[in-house]
Amino acid sequence: MSNKNSIFRLQGKVQHYDWGGFDYIPQLLGIENKKQEPFAEYWLGAHDKASSEIDDGRKLNDLLQQQPGLLGEQVMERFGRLPYLLKILDVKNMLSIQLHPNKQSAIESFEKEKQSGIPIDAAHRNYKDDNHKPELMYALSDFWLLHGFQHPDGLKRTIAAVPEFAFMLPLFETQGYKGLYESLMTMDQNKVDEMLQPLLNRIVPKYNAGAIKKDSPHFWAARAALTYNEHGKTDRGIFSIYLLNLLNLKEGEAIFQDAGILHAYLEGQNVELMANSDNVLRGGLTSKHIDVPELMKHVSFHAVHPGIIRGKALNKNERAFLTPAPDFELSRIEIKQDEVYKIDTISTDIFLVFSGNIEASADNCKLDSGRGASFVAFSQTSISLKGLTDAVLFRASIPVR
């Protein structure tokens, strides 16, 4: 296979996590969900856990290992692999409060767990690979999420508005974010129940009656209690709902989550582009493993002022959603019917057709692609994208400057 003028159809991998919806991703991909399984994520990339496959059945990760020239010289020298992972998410139920480690910590901690003999698929393993996981999410619908600690003034107002949280204010004023968060995450479970149950007794009936709006943390706290509390044990992650920024992104808006930023996706659909990693450290709202000492090593204990990203026009067809991450760049491409848009790739780019139909051509290869179809273009490829109808695509690339 030449590393020039190469495009191939790409088949991603579905992840059936229990928080996913049942219809959005099957409809995007044009498939039936006969078993009524949750379709939570659709992965396009070369992660060893679930690599995409090109149209002849070969796995993309294997191909790139065998022919690293397909990545391009600069990317191969810097990353040694395809550095990003592109996903579509359908968040029906709330995801866990979580964060991701930085690069150096991921390398060291992955090796430490490996040397300790912890199986890679063990439920109590924290590090699934040796990579960091900065991530960008682009809202495909009205999307709700938690993102970083509130500004001190906002946090104090939130605490003051909840009588059951009166104990938090002195903690925050004397010990800051770290002292407050650590006390909540290490609090005895009986004390957690004692602190949260009176609040839940007040707000859950109102939630069930439809009397709380989504812009209130009470809405998500009540939903979390109904989703995650079990047998009288209250999930301490509910505290975090009141500490973090509650955001409502509109379709077309994006946000970047760097290492150490506590966050949680609450509801909606998005495109997510991240470093090629599956490392997640959790802080509640989950039945999965929580390692509080390990989590505390990586939390960024400062206020986060959410930066909504609306994109930068590269030209009349393509808008890029820029981040500080060197591993990836997401862009949205619009093509009118019969219009031709040309791209010269520097490394391995992945394209997902979100709506409409296009013809992608490079050298003597032509692919007709409709909604939900994906294709990959390798280094030094000159691509022509022709709109067979009006169409929208998402492009994952690497910001080589």
Side-chain angles (χ1 to χ4, degrees), residues 148-223:
F149 287 113
Q150 292 186 58
H151 185 274
D153 292 341
L155 183 55
K156 289 177 183 178
R157 284 195 298 271
T158 300
I159 291 172
V162 182
E164 292 84 357
F165 290 171
F167 74 98
M168 289 189 190
L169 191 56
L171 272 173
F172 182 60
E173 290 181 331
T174 58
Q175 301 181 40
Y177 293 104
K178 186 176 188 298
L180 174 59
Y181 188 68
E182 187 170 29
S183 70
L184 297 175
M185 292 304 295
T186 58
M187 184 182 290
D188 179 79
Q189 183 60 49
N190 290 332
K191 189 70 171 177
V192 172
D193 298 339
E194 178 186 332
M195 293 295 178
L196 285 176
Q197 198 55 53
L199 170 63
L200 299 177
N201 289 342
R202 285 197 299 112
I203 65 176
V204 169
K206 294 180 181 179
Y207 171 86
N208 287 333
I212 307 178
K213 295 182 178 180
K214 291 181 180 179
D215 60 0
S216 167
H218 290 331
F219 179 95
W220 303 104
R223 178 174 285 186

Coordinates of all heavy atoms in Angstrom, one line a residue, residues 148-223:
G148 N -15.5 21.3 35.7 CA -14.6 22.1 36.5 C -15.3 22.8 37.7 O -16.5 23.0 37.7
F149 N -14.5 23.1 38.7 CA -15.0 23.8 39.9 C -15.5 25.2 39.6 O -14.9 25.9 38.8 CB -13.9 23.9 41.0 CG -13.5 22.6 41.7 CD1 -12.3 22.1 41.5 CD2 -14.4 22.0 42.5 CE1 -11.9 20.9 42.1 CE2 -14.1 20.8 43.1 CZ -12.9 20.3 42.9
Q150 N -16.6 25.5 40.2 CA -17.2 26.9 40.1 C -16.2 27.9 40.7 O -15.4 27.6 41.5 CB -18.5 27.0 40.9 CG -19.7 26.2 40.4 CD -20.9 26.5 41.2 OE1 -21.4 27.6 41.2 NE2 -21.5 25.5 41.8
H151 N -16.4 29.1 40.2 CA -15.7 30.3 40.8 C -16.1 30.4 42.3 O -17.2 30.0 42.7 CB -16.2 31.6 40.1 CG -15.4 32.8 40.5 ND1 -15.8 33.6 41.6 CD2 -14.3 33.4 40.0 CE1 -15.0 34.6 41.7 NE2 -14.1 34.5 40.7
P152 N -15.2 30.8 43.1 CA -15.5 30.8 44.6 C -16.8 31.5 44.9 O -17.6 31.0 45.8 CB -14.3 31.6 45.2 CG -13.2 31.3 44.2 CD -13.8 31.3 42.9
D153 N -17.1 32.6 44.3 CA -18.4 33.3 44.6 C -19.6 32.5 44.3 O -20.6 32.4 45.0 CB -18.5 34.7 43.9 CG -17.4 35.7 44.4 OD1 -16.9 35.5 45.6 OD2 -17.1 36.7 43.7
G154 N -19.5 31.8 43.1 CA -20.6 31.0 42.7 C -20.8 29.8 43.6 O -21.9 29.4 43.9
L155 N -19.6 29.2 43.9 CA -19.7 28.0 44.8 C -20.3 28.4 46.2 O -21.1 27.6 46.7 CB -18.3 27.5 45.0 CG -18.1 26.2 45.8 CD1 -19.0 25.1 45.3 CD2 -16.7 25.8 45.8
K156 N -19.9 29.5 46.7 CA -20.4 29.9 48.0 C -21.9 30.2 47.9 O -22.7 29.8 48.8 CB -19.7 31.2 48.5 CG -18.3 31.0 48.9 CD -17.6 32.3 49.3 CE -16.2 32.1 49.7 NZ -15.5 33.4 50.0
R157 N -22.4 30.8 46.8 CA -23.8 31.0 46.6 C -24.6 29.6 46.6 O -25.7 29.5 47.2 CB -24.1 31.8 45.4 CG -23.8 33.3 45.5 CD -24.4 34.1 44.4 NE -23.9 33.7 43.1 CZ -22.8 34.2 42.5 NH1 -22.1 35.2 43.2 NH2 -22.4 33.8 41.3
T158 N -24.0 28.7 45.8 CA -24.6 27.4 45.7 C -24.7 26.7 47.1 O -25.8 26.1 47.5 CB -23.8 26.5 44.8 OG1 -23.8 27.1 43.5 CG2 -24.5 25.1 44.6
I159 N -23.6 26.7 47.9 CA -23.6 26.1 49.2 C -24.7 26.8 50.1 O -25.4 26.1 50.8 CB -22.2 26.2 49.8 CG1 -21.2 25.3 49.1 CG2 -22.3 25.8 51.3 CD1 -19.8 25.5 49.5
A160 N -24.7 28.1 50.1 CA -25.6 28.9 50.9 C -27.1 28.6 50.6 O -27.9 28.7 51.5 CB -25.3 30.4 50.8
A161 N -27.4 28.2 49.4 CA -28.7 28.0 49.0 C -29.3 26.6 49.4 O -30.4 26.3 49.2 CB -28.9 28.1 47.5
V162 N -28.4 25.8 49.9 CA -28.7 24.4 50.3 C -28.5 24.3 51.8 O -27.4 24.1 52.2 CB -27.9 23.3 49.5 CG1 -28.4 21.9 49.9 CG2 -28.0 23.5 48.0
P163 N -29.6 24.3 52.6 CA -29.4 24.2 54.1 C -28.6 23.1 54.5 O -27.8 23.2 55.5 CB -30.8 24.2 54.6 CG -31.7 24.8 53.5 CD -31.0 24.4 52.2
E164 N -28.7 21.9 53.9 CA -28.0 20.7 54.3 C -26.5 20.8 54.1 O -25.7 20.0 54.6 CB -28.5 19.5 53.5 CG -30.0 19.1 53.8 CD -31.0 19.9 53.0 OE1 -30.6 20.8 52.3 OE2 -32.2 19.6 53.2
F165 N -26.1 21.9 53.3 CA -24.6 22.0 53.0 C -24.0 23.1 53.9 O -22.9 23.6 53.6 CB -24.4 22.4 51.5 CG -24.7 21.2 50.6 CD1 -24.8 21.4 49.2 CD2 -25.0 19.9 51.1 CE1 -25.0 20.4 48.3 CE2 -25.3 18.9 50.2 CZ -25.3 19.1 48.8
A166 N -24.6 23.5 54.9 CA -24.0 24.6 55.8 C -22.6 24.2 56.3 O -21.8 25.1 56.5 CB -25.0 24.8 57.0
F167 N -22.4 22.9 56.5 CA -21.1 22.5 57.0 C -20.0 22.7 56.0 O -18.8 22.8 56.3 CB -21.1 21.0 57.3 CG -21.1 20.1 56.2 CD1 -20.0 19.5 55.7 CD2 -22.3 19.8 55.5 CE1 -20.0 18.6 54.6 CE2 -22.3 19.0 54.4 CZ -21.1 18.4 53.9
M168 N -20.3 22.9 54.7 CA -19.3 23.1 53.7 C -18.6 24.4 53.7 O -17.4 24.6 53.3 CB -19.9 22.8 52.3 CG -20.3 21.4 52.0 SD -20.7 21.4 50.2 CE -21.4 19.7 50.1
L169 N -19.3 25.5 54.0 CA -18.8 26.8 53.9 C -17.5 27.1 54.7 O -16.5 27.6 54.2 CB -19.9 27.9 54.2 CG -19.5 29.3 53.8 CD1 -19.2 29.4 52.3 CD2 -20.7 30.2 54.2
P170 N -17.5 26.7 56.0 CA -16.3 26.9 56.8 C -15.1 26.1 56.2 O -14.0 26.6 56.2 CB -16.7 26.4 58.2 CG -18.2 26.5 58.2 CD -18.6 26.2 56.8
L171 N -15.4 24.9 55.7 CA -14.4 24.1 55.1 C -13.8 24.7 53.9 O -12.5 24.8 53.7 CB -15.0 22.7 54.7 CG -15.0 21.6 55.7 CD1 -15.7 20.4 55.2 CD2 -13.6 21.2 56.1
F172 N -14.6 25.3 53.0 CA -14.1 25.9 51.8 C -13.3 27.2 52.1 O -12.3 27.4 51.5 CB -15.3 26.2 50.9 CG -14.9 26.8 49.6 CD1 -14.0 26.2 48.7 CD2 -15.3 28.1 49.2 CE1 -13.6 26.7 47.5 CE2 -15.0 28.7 48.0 CZ -14.1 28.0 47.1
E173 N -13.8 28.0 53.1 CA -13.2 29.2 53.4 C -11.8 29.0 54.1 O -10.9 29.9 53.9 CB -14.1 30.1 54.3 CG -15.3 30.6 53.5 CD -16.2 31.5 54.4 OE1 -16.2 31.2 55.6 OE2 -16.9 32.4 53.9
T174 N -11.6 27.9 54.8 CA -10.4 27.7 55.5 C -9.4 26.7 54.7 O -8.2 26.8 54.8 CB -10.6 27.1 56.9 OG1 -11.4 25.9 56.7 CG2 -11.4 28.1 57.7
Q175 N -10.0 25.8 53.9 CA -9.2 24.8 53.3 C -9.2 24.8 51.7 O -8.6 24.0 51.1 CB -9.5 23.4 53.8 CG -9.3 23.3 55.3 CD -9.7 21.9 55.8 OE1 -9.4 20.9 55.1 NE2 -10.4 21.8 56.9
G176 N -10.1 25.7 51.2 CA -10.2 25.8 49.7 C -10.8 24.6 49.0 O -11.4 23.7 49.7
Y177 N -10.6 24.5 47.7 CA -11.2 23.5 46.9 C -10.7 22.1 47.4 O -11.4 21.1 47.5 CB -10.9 23.6 45.5 CG -11.5 24.8 44.8 CD1 -10.8 26.0 44.5 CD2 -12.9 24.8 44.5 CE1 -11.4 27.1 44.0 CE2 -13.5 25.9 43.9 CZ -12.7 27.1 43.6 OH -13.3 28.1 43.1
K178 N -9.4 22.0 47.6 CA -8.8 20.7 47.9 C -9.3 20.2 49.3 O -9.7 19.0 49.4 CB -7.2 20.8 48.0 CG -6.6 19.4 48.2 CD -5.0 19.6 48.1 CE -4.4 18.2 48.1 NZ -4.6 17.4 49.3
G179 N -9.3 21.0 50.3 CA -9.8 20.6 51.6 C -11.2 20.2 51.6 O -11.6 19.1 52.2
L180 N -12.1 21.0 50.9 CA -13.5 20.6 50.8 C -13.7 19.3 50.0 O -14.4 18.4 50.5 CB -14.2 21.8 50.1 CG -15.7 21.6 49.8 CD1 -16.5 21.3 51.1 CD2 -16.3 22.7 49.0
Y181 N -13.1 19.2 48.9 CA -13.3 18.0 48.0 C -12.8 16.8 48.7 O -13.5 15.7 48.7 CB -12.7 18.2 46.7 CG -13.1 17.1 45.7 CD1 -14.4 17.0 45.2 CD2 -12.1 16.2 45.2 CE1 -14.7 16.0 44.3 CE2 -12.4 15.2 44.3 CZ -13.7 15.1 43.9 OH -14.1 14.1 43.0
E182 N -11.6 16.9 49.3 CA -11.1 15.7 50.0 C -11.9 15.3 51.1 O -12.1 14.1 51.4 CB -9.7 16.0 50.4 CG -8.9 14.8 51.0 CD -7.5 15.1 51.2 OE1 -7.1 16.3 51.5 OE2 -6.7 14.1 51.1
S183 N -12.5 16.2 51.9 CA -13.3 15.8 53.0 C -14.6 15.1 52.5 O -15.0 14.2 53.2 CB -13.7 17.1 53.8 OG -14.6 17.9 53.1
L184 N -15.1 15.5 51.4 CA -16.4 14.9 50.9 C -16.1 13.5 50.3 O -16.8 12.6 50.5 CB -17.0 15.8 49.8 CG -17.5 17.2 50.2 CD1 -17.9 18.0 49.0 CD2 -18.6 17.0 51.3
M185 N -14.9 13.4 49.7 CA -14.6 12.1 49.1 C -14.1 11.1 50.1 O -14.1 9.9 49.8 CB -13.5 12.3 48.0 CG -14.0 13.1 46.8 SD -15.4 12.3 46.0 CE -14.7 10.8 45.4
T186 N -13.6 11.5 51.2 CA -13.2 10.6 52.3 C -14.1 10.4 53.4 O -13.9 9.7 54.4 CB -11.8 11.0 52.8 OG1 -11.9 12.3 53.3 CG2 -10.7 11.0 51.7
M187 N -15.2 11.1 53.4 CA -16.2 11.1 54.4 C -16.8 9.7 54.6 O -17.0 8.9 53.7 CB -17.4 12.1 54.1 CG -18.4 12.2 55.2 SD -19.8 13.3 54.6 CE -18.9 14.9 54.6
D188 N -17.0 9.3 55.9 CA -17.6 8.0 56.2 C -18.9 7.9 55.5 O -19.7 8.8 55.4 CB -17.7 7.8 57.7 CG -18.4 6.5 58.1 OD1 -17.7 5.5 58.1 OD2 -19.6 6.5 58.3
Q189 N -19.2 6.7 55.0 CA -20.4 6.5 54.2 C -21.7 6.8 55.0 O -22.6 7.4 54.5 CB -20.5 5.1 53.6 CG -21.7 4.8 52.7 CD -21.8 5.7 51.5 OE1 -20.8 5.8 50.8 NE2 -22.9 6.4 51.3
N190 N -21.7 6.5 56.3 CA -22.9 6.8 57.1 C -23.1 8.3 57.2 O -24.2 8.8 57.2 CB -22.7 6.2 58.5 CG -22.8 4.7 58.5 OD1 -23.4 4.1 57.7 ND2 -22.1 4.1 59.5
K191 N -22.0 9.1 57.2 CA -22.1 10.5 57.3 C -22.6 11.1 55.9 O -23.3 12.0 55.9 CB -20.7 11.1 57.6 CG -20.7 12.6 57.9 CD -21.4 12.9 59.2 CE -21.2 14.4 59.6 NZ -21.9 14.7 60.8
V192 N -22.1 10.5 54.8 CA -22.6 10.9 53.5 C -24.1 10.7 53.5 O -24.8 11.6 53.0 CB -21.9 10.0 52.4 CG1 -22.6 10.3 51.0 CG2 -20.4 10.3 52.3
D193 N -24.6 9.5 53.9 CA -26.0 9.3 53.9 C -26.8 10.3 54.8 O -27.8 10.9 54.4 CB -26.3 7.9 54.4 CG -25.7 6.8 53.6 OD1 -25.4 7.1 52.4 OD2 -25.5 5.7 54.1
E194 N -26.2 10.6 55.9 CA -26.8 11.5 56.9 C -26.9 12.9 56.3 O -27.9 13.7 56.5 CB -26.0 11.6 58.2 CG -26.5 12.5 59.2 CD -25.5 12.6 60.4 OE1 -24.8 11.6 60.7 OE2 -25.5 13.7 61.1
M195 N -25.9 13.4 55.5 CA -25.8 14.7 54.9 C -26.7 14.8 53.7 O -27.4 15.9 53.5 CB -24.4 15.1 54.5 CG -23.5 15.2 55.7 SD -23.9 16.6 56.7 CE -22.7 16.5 58.0
L196 N -26.8 13.8 52.9 CA -27.5 13.9 51.6 C -29.0 13.5 51.7 O -29.8 14.0 50.9 CB -26.8 13.1 50.5 CG -25.5 13.7 50.0 CD1 -24.8 12.8 49.0 CD2 -25.7 15.1 49.3
Q197 N -29.3 12.6 52.5 CA -30.7 12.0 52.5 C -31.7 13.1 52.8 O -32.8 13.1 52.1 CB -30.8 10.9 53.5 CG -32.0 10.0 53.2 CD -32.1 9.5 51.8 OE1 -31.1 8.9 51.3 NE2 -33.2 9.7 51.0
P198 N -31.6 14.0 53.7 CA -32.6 15.0 53.9 C -32.8 15.9 52.6 O -33.9 16.3 52.3 CB -32.0 15.9 55.1 CG -31.2 14.9 55.8 CD -30.5 14.1 54.8
L199 N -31.7 16.2 51.9 CA -31.8 16.9 50.7 C -32.6 16.1 49.7 O -33.5 16.7 49.0 CB -30.4 17.3 50.2 CG -30.3 17.8 48.8 CD1 -31.0 19.2 48.6 CD2 -28.8 18.0 48.3
L200 N -32.2 14.9 49.5 CA -32.9 14.0 48.5 C -34.4 13.9 48.9 O -35.2 13.8 48.0 CB -32.2 12.7 48.4 CG -30.7 12.8 48.0 CD1 -30.1 11.4 47.9 CD2 -30.6 13.4 46.6
N201 N -34.7 13.8 50.1 CA -36.1 13.7 50.5 C -36.9 14.9 50.1 O -38.1 14.8 49.8 CB -36.2 13.5 52.1 CG -35.7 12.2 52.6 OD1 -35.6 11.2 51.8 ND2 -35.4 12.1 53.8
R202 N -36.2 16.1 50.0 CA -36.9 17.3 49.6 C -37.0 17.3 48.0 O -38.1 17.7 47.5 CB -36.1 18.5 50.0 CG -36.2 18.9 51.5 CD -35.8 20.3 51.8 NE -34.4 20.6 51.5 CZ -34.0 21.4 50.5 NH1 -34.9 22.0 49.7 NH2 -32.7 21.6 50.3
I203 N -35.9 17.0 47.3 CA -35.9 17.3 45.9 C -36.4 16.1 45.0 O -36.9 16.4 43.9 CB -34.5 17.7 45.5 CG1 -33.5 16.6 45.6 CG2 -34.1 19.0 46.2 CD1 -32.1 16.9 45.1
V204 N -36.3 14.9 45.4 CA -36.7 13.8 44.6 C -38.2 13.8 44.2 O -38.6 13.7 43.1 CB -36.3 12.4 45.1 CG1 -36.9 11.3 44.4 CG2 -34.7 12.3 45.1
P205 N -39.1 14.1 45.2 CA -40.5 14.2 44.9 C -40.8 15.3 43.9 O -41.6 15.2 43.0 CB -41.2 14.5 46.2 CG -40.2 13.9 47.2 CD -38.9 14.1 46.7
K206 N -40.1 16.4 44.0 CA -40.2 17.6 43.1 C -39.8 17.2 41.7 O -40.4 17.5 40.7 CB -39.5 18.8 43.6 CG -40.0 19.4 44.9 CD -39.2 20.6 45.3 CE -39.8 21.2 46.6 NZ -39.0 22.4 47.0
Y207 N -38.6 16.5 41.7 CA -38.1 16.0 40.4 C -39.1 15.0 39.7 O -39.4 15.2 38.5 CB -36.8 15.2 40.6 CG -36.3 14.5 39.4 CD1 -35.5 15.2 38.4 CD2 -36.5 13.2 39.2 CE1 -35.0 14.5 37.3 CE2 -36.1 12.5 38.0 CZ -35.3 13.2 37.1 OH -34.8 12.5 36.0
N208 N -39.7 14.1 40.5 CA -40.6 13.2 39.9 C -41.9 13.9 39.5 O -42.6 13.4 38.5 CB -41.0 12.1 41.0 CG -39.9 11.1 41.2 OD1 -39.1 10.9 40.3 ND2 -39.8 10.5 42.4
A209 N -42.2 15.0 40.1 CA -43.4 15.8 39.7 C -43.1 16.7 38.5 O -44.0 17.4 38.1 CB -43.9 16.5 40.9
G210 N -41.9 16.8 38.0 CA -41.5 17.7 36.9 C -41.4 19.1 37.4 O -41.5 20.0 36.5
A211 N -41.1 19.3 38.7 CA -41.2 20.7 39.2 C -39.8 21.3 39.3 O -39.7 22.4 39.8 CB -41.8 20.7 40.6
I212 N -38.7 20.7 38.8 CA -37.4 21.2 38.8 C -36.9 21.3 37.4 O -37.0 20.3 36.6 CB -36.4 20.3 39.7 CG1 -37.0 20.1 41.1 CG2 -35.1 21.0 39.8 CD1 -36.1 19.2 41.9
K213 N -36.3 22.4 37.1 CA -35.7 22.6 35.7 C -34.3 22.1 35.6 O -33.6 22.0 36.6 CB -35.8 24.1 35.3 CG -37.2 24.6 35.2 CD -37.2 26.0 34.7 CE -38.7 26.5 34.5 NZ -38.7 28.0 34.1
K214 N -33.8 21.8 34.4 CA -32.5 21.3 34.2 C -31.4 22.2 34.5 O -30.2 21.8 34.7 CB -32.4 20.8 32.8 CG -33.2 19.6 32.4 CD -33.0 19.1 31.0 CE -33.8 17.9 30.7 NZ -33.7 17.4 29.3
D215 N -31.7 23.5 34.6 CA -30.6 24.5 34.9 C -30.4 24.5 36.5 O -29.5 25.3 36.9 CB -30.9 25.9 34.4 CG -32.2 26.5 34.9 OD1 -32.9 25.8 35.8 OD2 -32.6 27.6 34.5
S216 N -31.0 23.7 37.2 CA -30.8 23.6 38.7 C -30.0 22.4 39.0 O -30.3 21.3 38.5 CB -32.1 23.6 39.4 OG -31.9 23.2 40.8
P217 N -29.0 22.5 39.9 CA -28.3 21.2 40.3 C -29.2 20.2 41.0 O -28.9 19.0 41.0 CB -27.2 21.8 41.2 CG -27.6 23.1 41.6 CD -28.4 23.7 40.5
H218 N -30.3 20.7 41.5 CA -31.2 19.8 42.2 C -31.7 18.8 41.2 O -32.0 17.6 41.5 CB -32.4 20.6 42.8 CG -32.0 21.4 44.0 ND1 -31.0 21.1 44.9 CD2 -32.6 22.5 44.5 CE1 -31.0 22.0 45.8 NE2 -31.9 22.9 45.6
F219 N -32.0 19.2 40.0 CA -32.5 18.3 38.9 C -31.6 17.1 38.8 O -32.0 15.9 38.8 CB -32.7 19.0 37.6 CG -33.2 18.2 36.5 CD1 -34.5 18.2 36.2 CD2 -32.3 17.4 35.7 CE1 -35.0 17.4 35.1 CE2 -32.8 16.6 34.7 CZ -34.1 16.6 34.4
W220 N -30.3 17.4 38.6 CA -29.3 16.3 38.3 C -29.0 15.5 39.6 O -28.7 14.3 39.5 CB -28.1 16.9 37.7 CG -28.4 17.7 36.5 CD1 -28.5 19.1 36.3 CD2 -28.8 17.2 35.2 NE1 -28.9 19.4 35.1 CE2 -29.1 18.2 34.3 CE3 -29.0 15.9 34.7 CZ2 -29.5 18.1 33.0 CZ3 -29.4 15.7 33.4 CH2 -29.6 16.8 32.5
A221 N -29.0 16.2 40.7 CA -28.8 15.4 42.0 C -29.9 14.4 42.2 O -29.7 13.3 42.6 CB -28.8 16.4 43.2
A222 N -31.2 14.8 41.9 CA -32.3 13.9 42.1 C -32.2 12.8 41.1 O -32.4 11.6 41.4 CB -33.6 14.6 41.9
R223 N -31.9 13.1 39.9 CA -31.7 12.0 38.8 C -30.6 11.1 39.2 O -30.7 9.9 39.0 CB -31.4 12.7 37.5 CG -31.2 11.6 36.4 CD -31.1 12.2 35.0 NE -32.4 12.7 34.5 CZ -32.6 13.1 33.2 NH1 -31.6 13.2 32.4 NH2 -33.8 13.5 32.9

